[in-house]
Amino acid sequence: MNSIMNSPVAKFALYATILALGILLPMWFPNYTGQMTVMWMMVVFALTWDILGGQMGYNSLGNIFFFGAGMYATGMVQVGMFYDLAEYNSAAGGGIFNFTFSQYFTGMAAGFVVAAIVCVILAVILGRLVFGLRGPYFAIGTLAIATVVGELVSTWELVGGGQGMSMPNYPGDLGEAKFVFYSMMFVLAICTFAFLRWLYGSRFGLAINAIRDDEEKAEGMGIHTLRYKTVAWSIAAFFLGIAGAIYGNFNNFFEPIDVAFPTTTFGIFMVLMVLLGGKGTLWGPVIGAILFHVIKEVTWTYLLNLQWVALGLLIVVTVVYFQEGIMGWIMRKKPTWFGIRVEGEKQRLGDMR
Amino acid sequence: MSSATTAGESIIEVNGITKTFGGVVANKNISLNVRKGGITGLIGPNGSGKTTLFNSIVGYHPIDGGSIKFSGEEISKFRVQEIARLGLMRTFQQTRIYGKMNCVENMLISVPHRKLGFWDMFASRDKETLERADRMLEFVGLYEKRWLLAGDLSFGQQKLLEFAMALMNEPTVLMLDEPTAGINPTLINGLIDRLKRANEEFGITLFVIEHNMRVIMNLAEHIYCLAHGEMLAEGKPEEIQNDQRVIDAYLGAH
């Protein structure tokens, strides 16, 4: 089988190149470290959205909820471990209250763990509510969760209400902080990709694909559909929660509507990036996220005042004319590269991926 | 209308079930027994309530009254997945397969889920299951096509794939909704042969809805006939064939 994607040498070269670029780029272009941090976050967004949206056929518009939940969870832990949360937030936090080096990092470690666990628990509970909904109703239901929670948190004074919350300041050089957060986000993106690559190769991948293709049939065959759907969402929530926790610290500040639960920006971007790259594929979300982020930043730089018009145009063109995405398009043109067999070809046993 | 049917133990016992949709009575006081290890047929004109009865048995919708027992256990309150995991499986009249997955993947995810625990969700593809999938695809004659996307198969081939998926699930009872509909007439004999072999070699009890009289008379040992949602007649194939009420129902006199 002369399949490019299946050749081990090509695969190794690809992974090595990406890892090397991930490490070298922030050294070559230190001024863009912040941008590249956000880019890897976009990759996590797209990869986690695709678990449900691409592989399982459930278009969630509320995944961004877990991003915010992780952010708030880590914020509360990182501050609450050492100071009174209400007092900290009424004084508008950071700068006035100091965190030592060890306080900062132990708080962060604990905060990330709590953020991940809280998001998984929330996904399990909310899954019971929303997985009764199908198609557009699921999209609206999940969107409602993210929007409503954003509004509710705005009235929660303990975590700063609509004013938001300042995070502890990094106990050291700010240039160093950039690289620390970049590394965290890069490692998270790599871990998310590696985990999903393994997951889609297991029975789990087959089961959620079956749910996507025909959920009623899957039920009729005895597949534990609710169990698979809940776990799929929990996995997305887990990685999104950590992404939120890192971003909260990276941004040093967050508030409910625009940073923690931004349904109209990040919440929509994650859908668009997956569509652009090709949903239901492993590489599509990665390609879509990177391309989208670059396009977005270029239009922000060179088409200022028109950036939303350009972005809107990209959305319309993708959704109307290019739903299959980049990977979908390549797969249609060159199916044999991906091990998809077409009629008339001689085939052999056991070559699954 | 229920009576002592054929000799032997019943695996499905339906007792006086009724199902209405608004004002339409789709099934009225239906009783029947499916003999363990046998092949039972269900016939009736279009709209007589055959598929509704199938749907009721597999828990697709709640019934209005009556009882359904599977292996002696009351299942009328169970949901679709629970019933499927008990080993009572059905195929659909409008064939349903996972279109964007290839035939082998369709087979691999059709393993008997009653045997799987939580962590089995993450199991990798083992050789044994792969070989069983290959054997089953060979059994229905799709081995050569096994790497094609299921959605790219012809309708008849999809029906065969659906049958193979059902066998992969190791059911105790397999309920087939018009297995020969849409299949090339020259392939029908082969399919009848495979259904019989599934029954004899794998010991799967079959309960079959069929419109093709030649097929059902050839296949089933006991036949029930529905008309207008009611049980019209039952008996051996030759008894049904010569029953004036059945003939009238099919010719529209009823």
Side-chain angles (χ1 to χ4, degrees):
Chain A
M1 196 79 4
N2 61 340
S3 135
I4 289 177
M5 302 302 281
N6 283 344
S7 147
V9 180
K11 263 184 189 168
F12 180 79
L14 183 65
Y15 290 137
T17 311
I18 291 175
L19 278 177
L21 281 179
I23 296 164
L24 292 174
L25 279 177
M27 295 181 184
W28 290 341
F29 307 103
N31 292 337
Y32 291 92
T33 312
Q35 283 304 334
M36 288 188 277
T37 309
V38 177
M39 185 188 78
W40 290 118
M41 185 174 78
M42 295 292 212
V43 171
V44 175
F45 281 173
L47 280 169
T48 51
W49 190 84
D50 193 54
I51 303 173
L52 261 71
Q55 302 281 352
M56 205 172 85
Y58 271 74
N59 297 315
S60 163
L61 291 180
N63 273 12
I64 198 69
F65 164 71
F66 298 111
F67 178 71
M71 212 179 284
Y72 271 93
T74 200
M76 290 167 78
V77 170
Q78 282 178 251
V79 172
M81 272 172 76
F82 307 105
Y83 294 103
D84 181 71
L85 198 59
E87 208 179 302
Y88 175 93
N89 276 319
S90 64
I96 303 165
F97 294 79
N98 286 311
F99 292 80
T100 64
F101 187 84
S102 78
Q103 278 181 331
Y104 185 80
F105 282 102
T106 47
M108 201 184 260
F112 287 8
V113 171
V114 171
I117 293 171
V118 163
C119 286
V120 168
I121 293 170
L122 285 169
V124 171
I125 296 168
L126 291 171
R128 297 274 147 178
L129 298 174
V130 295
F131 280 128
L133 304 171
R134 303 277 158 94
Y137 303 100
F138 180 79
I140 300 296
T142 47
L143 177 62
I145 291 173
T147 315
V148 167
V149 170
E151 295 296 334
L152 284 178
V153 171
S154 303
T155 65
W156 190 11
E157 287 307 324
L158 179 68
V159 292
Q163 297 278 318
M165 193 168 156
S166 294
M167 290 297 281
N169 285 327
Y170 186 81
D173 177 49
L174 283 183
E176 176 192 307
K178 279 199 307 192
F179 289 105
V180 170
F181 294 124
Y182 173 85
S183 313
M184 286 178 178
M185 210 59 104
F186 178 59
V187 169
L188 180 69
I190 299 295
C191 289
T192 309
F193 181 88
F195 181 81
L196 293 182
R197 187 176 180 279
W198 165 79
L199 186 74
Y200 295 155
S202 75
R203 178 174 290 136
F204 198 92
L206 291 178
I208 59 177
N209 285 169
I211 292 171
R212 172 196 65 195
D213 284 359
D214 191 339
E215 184 167 357
E216 242 175 43
K217 173 71 179 175
E219 288 175 355
M221 294 300 286
I223 297 179
H224 300 78
T225 47
L226 183 61
R227 188 192 282 179
Y228 279 102
K229 290 193 282 187
T230 309
V231 173
W233 215 28
S234 307
I235 292 167
F238 177 87
F239 290 110
L240 280 171
I242 298 176
I246 298 173
Y247 189 75
N249 281 290
F250 162 79
N251 206 35
N252 204 239
F253 162 80
F254 54 83
E255 52 75 61
I257 308 296
D258 289 326
V259 182
F261 304 99
T263 46
T264 51
T265 54
F266 288 154
I268 292 298
F269 293 167
M270 52 174 87
V271 185
L272 182 67
M273 293 184 293
V274 173
L275 289 181
L276 183 64
K279 65 178 177 182
T281 62
L282 185 61
W283 280 101
V286 180
I287 296 168
I290 294 174
L291 191 62
F292 175 85
H293 189 65
V294 171
I295 293 173
K296 181 172 152 291
E297 291 310 316
V298 168
T299 53
W300 249 247
T301 311
Y302 297 105
L303 286 173
L304 201 60
N305 298 328
L306 284 173
Q307 75 270 45
W308 288 110
V309 178
L311 212 55
L313 204 62
L314 180 66
I315 294 178
V316 170
V317 170
T318 309
V319 171
V320 177
Y321 297 106
F322 198 56
Q323 278 199 12
E324 60 186 354
I326 294 164
M327 285 301 276
W329 181 76
I330 300 175
M331 278 169 113
R332 185 162 56 79
K333 293 285 178 192
K334 299 278 175 199
T336 47
W337 286 8
F338 300 87
I340 296 172
R341 315 304 217 276
V342 283
E343 189 100 40
E345 208 183 328
K346 279 279 165 265
Q347 286 130 13
R348 69 195 158 95
L349 175 78
D351 180 20
M352 297 296 300
R353 288 186 78 76
Chain B
M1 215 18 249
S2 120
S3 61
T5 54
T6 34
E9 194 189 339
S10 293
I11 189 146
I12 299 178
E13 294 167 56
V14 174
N15 231 314
I17 69 165
T18 297
K19 175 68 191 172
T20 58
F21 296 104
V24 180
V25 184
N27 284 159
K28 191 176 172 192
N29 197 24
I30 305 277
S31 299
L32 58 78
N33 291 301
V34 174
R35 189 180 71 83
K36 188 172 186 175
I39 303 179
T40 306
L42 180 64
I43 62 169
N46 289 325
S48 60
K50 303 182 296 295
T51 299
T52 302
L53 180 60
F54 261 37
N55 284 338
S56 299
I57 293 174
V58 299
Y60 188 73
H61 50 215
I63 54 172
D64 299 332
S67 120
I68 303 164
K69 283 193 174 133
F70 176 66
S71 294
E73 186 179 5
E74 180 68 38
I75 58 166
S76 55
K77 295 277 190 291
F78 284 17
R79 292 175 49 221
V80 172
Q81 291 118 309
E82 293 165 324
I83 292 172
R85 289 198 284 269
L86 289 175
L88 178 53
M89 184 107 338
R90 68 91 62 93
T91 66
F92 291 87
Q93 188 174 2
Q94 304 300 328
T95 301
R96 301 178 90 152
I97 39 84
Y98 310 123
K100 296 213 173 79
M101 298 159 70
N102 68 36
C103 297
V104 174
E105 289 172 331
N106 268 268
M107 296 297 285
L108 290 180
I109 196 56
S110 300
V111 292
H113 289 268
R114 63 181 165 279
K115 296 179 180 171
L116 303 183
F118 186 86
W119 297 107
D120 288 323
M121 282 200 287
F122 307 104
S124 52
R125 298 168 184 195
D126 60 300
K127 201 154 175 272
E128 202 180 311
T129 315
L130 260 172
E131 280 169 1
R132 214 161 70 79
D134 278 346
R135 272 205 308 280
M136 291 298 170
L137 286 169
E138 182 125 52
F139 178 76
V140 298
L142 283 176
Y143 187 74
E144 294 299 315
K145 311 254 178 202
R146 69 193 185 286
W147 298 114
L148 298 183
L149 292 186
D152 291 344
L153 298 177
S154 73
F155 182 76
Q157 289 167 342
Q158 290 185 358
K159 272 211 122 109
L160 291 171
L161 176 62
E162 195 186 25
F163 178 50
M165 287 159 71
L167 294 180
M168 187 79 184
N169 211 300
E170 300 173 6
T172 319
V173 177
L174 180 55
M175 296 171 50
L176 298 148
D177 199 343
E178 297 196 32
T180 66
I183 288 204
N184 182 337
T186 56
L187 292 177
I188 287 184
N189 284 336
L191 182 67
I192 297 177
D193 177 53
R194 289 190 182 100
L195 290 175
K196 281 185 170 164
R197 279 176 60 197
N199 176 248
E200 284 160 17
E201 290 173 26
F202 306 133
I204 299 170
T205 304
L206 298 180
F207 186 23
V208 186
I209 292 181
E210 188 51 69
H211 266 305
N212 187 326
M213 284 303 139
R214 187 177 66 80
V215 171
I216 198 74
M217 294 305 160
N218 227 311
L219 195 64
E221 52 175 43
H222 195 86
I223 295 173
Y224 290 90
C225 178
L226 288 181
H228 298 285
E230 291 181 62
M231 190 62 79
L232 187 68
E234 65 160 302
K236 294 192 182 335
E238 51 275 21
E239 291 167 10
I240 290 289
Q241 248 171 332
N242 299 319
D243 192 313
Q244 192 55 43
R245 292 170 303 174
V246 175
I247 296 166
D248 287 346
Y250 267 90
L251 295 177
H254 193 65

